[in-house]
Amino acid sequence: MHDHGSKEGLSYRDSNLYKILLIGNPNVGKSALFGLLTGTYVTVSNYPGTTVEVTYGNAVLNKTRTLVIDTPGVNSLVPMSEDEKVTRDMLLSDRADVVVQVADTKNLRRGLLITLQLAEMAVPFILDLNMDDEARSRGIIINQEMLSQLLGVEVAKTVAIRRSGIDKLLKGIQHPRPSPVEVRYDDAIEGGIRDISALLPEANIARRAIALMVLSGDESLKGWLHANIQDHIVVDIEKIRQEVQSKYNNSLGFLINQRRIKKADEILAKVLSLHEAGQGSAIAFHIGRWSMHPVYGLPILFTVLYVVYQFVGVFGAGTAVNFLEKTVFGEYLNPWMTKIVHFIVPVPLFQELLIGDYGLFTMAVTYAIAIVLPIVGFFFIAFSLLEDSGYLPRLAVMVNKVFKIMGLNGKAVLPMILGLGCDTMATLTTRILETKKERILVTLLLALGVPCSAQLGVILGLVAGLSGLATFIWLGTLVAMMLLVGYLAAKIIPGEPSDFVLELPPIRVPQLSNILVKTIARVQWYLKEAVPLFILGTFILFVGHKVGALAYIQTITDPIVVNFLGLPSRAAEAFVIGFLRRDYGAAGLFMLSKEGLLDPTQIVVSLTVMTLFVPCIANFFMMVKERGMKTALYMAAFIFPFAFCVGGALNWVLRALQIEL
Amino acid sequence: MTRDREKGGSLMAEHKRIFGVEGQAGHPALCVLPEVEKEDELFEIIWTLREEGKPTLEHIVQNCTLTECEKILKDLATNGWIDLNGQTVELLPKGEKRARELVRRHRLSLRMFYDLFALDGAEAEACKFEHILSPEVTDSVCTLLGHPPNSPDGKPIPRGECCAMFRQEMKPLVAPLADLTPGEQAKIVFITPESHSRLDRLSAMGVVPGSVVKLHQKKPSYVIQLGETLIAVDKDITKEIFVKKI
C-alpha cells in the first residue's frame, strides 16, 4: 500500500551523507531494520517481495548524519525480476560507504551465497545475522566469531523486530571491509573472467564480479554495458561468454552458483551447530501445513474469508458505520455543522456547497469518514494480520492451477491479493513477476476485477444486506469474467509464462505493535489520498448539479443506466464519481441502497459494473508509469465498455430468467 | 546366456525392422537379428503372449514374421528350451530363465531411453541395447533407474536380483524428486532442467546437486524444503530434479 517511506531518492543520491545500503535475501527483515535505524516506517510484512522499490531514510547513527537505503530482496545479485534488478543496480552505480548484508540466521546458507557475491564485488560490508531468535528456537546456533574470522568482515547478531543487538550492529557499521574470501571456479570460467575483465571499464564494484554476472548470462546488465563501453566491445564480451558456455552442458550461471554454494557449505560446516529444537515453532509449522493441505486448505481459506467478512463487512460496515454515520454524523456533527455554517456563512450558495445534498461536509466528509474510513480501517487490521501471519503466500499453493488458466502462476496471487488492499500499490508490486507478459496480465486483471480495500469494504457492506444467492452471483460473475479475460488475454499477449517458484515464509504470530503501526500508516495514507479526491468529486457533482450538467448527464446516460442496466437514473452519479475513486462510487451505491432505491437485482448489477469498472485515477497513473501510456489506455478502453456490457448482460439474464434475489 | 556377439555384431548392419512401431496385433515392435537373436525374438514373443494369456503355437506364428519361425520353434523344443506338446507353448526352466532375462533387458532399455534421454518410442535403440547389456550392467541400469516396475508402455519389467536386494536393504536409488512420498528426504544427485534460466533460479535458492531436500506435499502444488526454506514449485520442475533417498 501507499505507506512507503520517503521516495525523494534522486535528490539524495549525490549528497555527501554517509550511505548505508541494506541488502539481503527476501523476507529477512531488511525493512524492519530500516525502520529501526531511521525511525521511518516502511511496510514490514511476512512474505517475500514486500519492498519492490528502493526506499531512503535519514538517521543520525554513530553521531554521523546517515542516509539509509532499503532495497528489494534478492536471492542472487544476478537479477531474475525487476525488483531484484533495482538492488543490483544500486550496488553497480551507487557507491555506498557501507553495505549491510542482512541474513536470516536460520537460512544462512542462502545468505552466504550473497555474502560471497559481495566479496567478489570487493565492496566494504558487514554481515548482520537477523532473526537470531527464530534460528535458536529451531536449534540452529551460528558461531559468530568464527564466521567473522572466516569471512574477514564484522558479523553482528540481531532480532530487528525486538530491537535487540542493534548497538553491536552500529559498532560493526563503523568498520566495514571488503571480504578477502575468494571462490575459485573452473579453469575455463576463470579464463573467461580474465578475458572479460580486461575489456570492462572502471566501476563501483570489482571487474571480476561484473565478469561473473556477464558469464551468468545476466541480460539486465546489457543496458549498463552499452552505456559504459563501445558496442563492438559488448559484442566481443558476448562472444567470450558464448565460447566459455560452449564448453559446458549446464548453464554457466548454474555452475557458478553451484561452486559458490559449495564454498558456502564449507564455511557453514565450520560455524553451524545443531541442537535440540524448541517446541514453539512446531505448532506454527503445522498450521502452515494445514493451510496448504489439499483437503483442509479449502475450509481454512473459507474460514479466513468468513472471519474477514464478519469483521469488515458485518462489524465494520454495519455496526461501526451505523454508529459513525447515524449517531456521530447524523445526530451530532452534521446538525452542528449546519448550525455553524448557517451562522458563519450568510451566502446560500456557499451554505449549500458545504452542507447541501452535494455538500463538501455532508457528502464528501461524511462519505470519507463515516462510511469508508471505518470500513477500510477494519479491513487494514484484518489485512495486516494476514500479511504478517505468512498465510498469503500459501494461498499461491492453493490456487496455482487456477492461475495457470490465465497464463499466470501461483506467484501472481500476491499482487492480486495486495490489490484487495490497494490496486495502485499492487500494480507496482507486479515487479516481482518475472516476465513482461505476466506483469501486463496482472495489471489488467487488477484494473478490471480486483476491488481495493476501500471499495471492497463498501461492497461487503452492501452484500451484507443481500441473500447468499445474490452474493454468489456477484462473486461468480466477477471470478468468471476474470478467468475469461485472463484466459483470452493470455492467448493474445505474446510471451511465455514463467515457472512457479515461490518461497513460503514461516507462519508467525503477528506482532501487535507492527499491526498497529502498519494500520495507522495505512489509515493516514487513506486520509491523505482519498479525502482530497472525495472533496474534488463532490465539488464536481455540486457544480454539475448547479449548472444542470448532472441532469444532462443523467438524460444521456439513461439509455445505458436505466434501459440497459435497469438501474435508477441517479446511479449515473455513482458511476461519474467512480471515475475519481471506485470506493466513492461504491459508497454512492451504498447510499442509494440505504435509501431503498435499489432492489437486490439492481444492487447485484450495479455492484458488478462498479467492481469491473475503470480503475481509480491513482491506479491509472501507476499503470501508465509501470506499463506505458499506450498499454494503460488500451486497458482502460477495453475495461470501460466491458464492465457495462457484463452488467447489461447480467441484468438481462437475471430478469429473463426471473431469478428472485 | 552365452552368445556369439561377433556374429550378431557383423549382422548388425542388416538389422532392419520388420515389425512396425507399437506393433500390429497390439505388440510392441520386436527386435530382429538373425541366428541366435532370432531365437531371442521368439522367446520374447512367447513371454509377451503368455502375459496376455494366449501363448498358442498359432498366435506365435501370427506374431512372428520370420520365415523359418516354425523350424526354430522345433529346434528350441528339441534342445529342451520349450515344450510344444501342450495346448499352449510352455517355457521349460532354462527357457524361462532366458526369456525372463531378455524381456527384462529389453524393457529396462526402453525405460532408460525414455527416462534418461527423454526419447519416446526408442524401440530401435532398445533393441540394440538389449543384446549388449551384460547381467552386471543390467542390474546397474536397473538400480540407476530406481528398479522401475514397468516399461514406458506399461508392461511389467521382470524383477532381477538387484530389485530383491533393494527391497530388503532399501538401497539408495536415483529417482525424480516428484516420485518421493511426501515427508521423505533426499539428496539431489543431478538436475536435468528444460531451460537454463530455470536452473539458475533454482540454484540461487540453493537447489544444486548435493543439497538435501524434503518433499512436503504434492497437492495442490508441490512444496519442497531446503534447510529452513520452504519453496512451492511446479510439478514439472520436481520431475527434473533427480534425488537419492537418505
Side-chain angles (χ1 to χ4, degrees), chain B residues 189-200:
Chain B
V189 181
F190 59 92
I191 307 177
T192 56
E194 196 180 79
S195 72
H196 276 183
S197 72
R198 174 178 282 183
L199 195 55
D200 292 353

Side-chain angles (χ1 to χ4, degrees), chain A residues 230-247:
Chain A
Q230 287 163 303
D231 288 358
H232 68 92
I233 300 182
V234 179
V235 175
D236 290 346
I237 288 176
E238 178 56 23
K239 268 187 205 145
I240 299 173
R241 191 192 92 77
Q242 279 171 6
E243 191 157 317
V244 178
Q245 176 66 75
S246 69
K247 295 184 179 130

Side-chain angles (χ1 to χ4, degrees), chain A residues 493-514:
Chain A
I493 299 168
E496 288 297 309
S498 72
D499 289 335
F500 176 47
V501 177
L502 179 67
E503 189 184 340
L504 304 172
I507 290 282
R508 295 184 177 126
V509 179
Q511 283 230 316
L512 200 62
S513 57
N514 190 45

Side-chain angles (χ1 to χ4, degrees), chain A residues 80 106-107 109-110 113 138 251 254 257 261 285 292 294 397 400-401 404 434 499-504, chain B residues 196 198-201 203-206 208-209 211 216-217 219-221 228-234 237:
Chain A
M80 290 288 185
K106 64 183 180 299
N107 274 316
R109 187 177 188 236
R110 292 173 54 204
L113 201 55
R138 285 167 166 78
S251 78
F254 172 75
N257 272 339
I261 288 175
F285 177 78
M292 301 185 289
V397 174
N400 183 34
K401 283 196 181 130
K404 290 260 155 120
E434 283 132 30
D499 289 335
F500 176 47
V501 177
L502 179 67
E503 189 184 340
L504 304 172
Chain B
H196 276 183
R198 174 178 282 183
L199 195 55
D200 292 353
R201 174 188 323 287
S203 63
M205 294 183 110
V208 294
S211 297
H216 263 267
Q217 61 175 67
K219 276 178 181 172
S221 299
E228 291 295 326
T229 310
L230 275 182
I231 308 172
V233 289
D234 275 327
I237 297 176

Side-chain angles (χ1 to χ4, degrees), chain A residues 454-473:
Chain A
Q455 194 193 8
L456 187 69
V458 184
I459 290 171
L460 286 182
L462 267 168
V463 160
L466 290 178
S467 65
L469 178 64
T471 313
F472 178 78
I473 290 177

